[in-house]
Amino acid sequence: MEKPEGGKPPAIVLDEVTLRHYAADGTVRVAQADEVIYDRKGGRLDAHSLSVDTPPTEGMKRGGAHLEAARGSADLKGKGASLEGGLTLRTGVGDFGSTEAATWDGTTETFEGDEPLEVQGPGYRASADGFRFQVPGQRLDLKGNVKIHTEPDTARAAAEVAE
């Protein structure tokens, strides 16, 4: 993390952190990080070696998700976050994706990235120059040079399990 103006240290530095979010629907999301730095003046959190677990919900299908990133920053006022340094995502039904960086827009519940993306799962694998994933509606748009390979019987069975 860059030092704030005047060279003063951050307001709070926490090591080996676990955060739990208790959603209105009764589900619990868990985030863990080796280090979290809170800059009170900028309203910003920076984390290192972080992971986030989200259970399956009506909005987040495919058996929930486990996300890992080397670094992340969040703007607490603007409900936005950036993840970088290598990002992976696994779902409960066997999807796996990786990219170098992505951003999260909490107001639209959208992940987006302009770095190459590799994704694979039951019955498919794909690559693209970038992506946009909207949690509401579970819509994934691949950008740029897109390659997709499917095995229809396996993909159909996985889709049935996810619902």
Side-chain angles (χ1 to χ4, degrees), residues 49-126:
S49 299
L50 65 123
S51 67
V52 179
D53 289 298
T54 63
T57 64
E58 190 59 37
M60 181 60 185
K61 304 203 186 293
R62 305 217 43 92
H66 175 79
L67 179 138
E68 292 184 3
R71 294 179 305 282
S73 297
D75 170 7
L76 299 178
K77 297 174 186 172
K79 293 185 81 174
S82 63
L83 302 166
E84 56 189 29
L87 171 66
T88 60
L89 177 77
R90 291 185 189 279
T91 68
V93 296
D95 303 297
F96 175 79
S98 64
T99 187
E100 187 59 28
T103 58
W104 167 253
D105 182 337
T107 58
T108 61
E109 296 185 52
T110 303
F111 272 107
E112 191 162 8
D114 292 325
E115 297 287 333
L117 170 74
E118 297 286 331
V119 185
Q120 64 184 30
Y124 76 94
R125 66 181 178 273

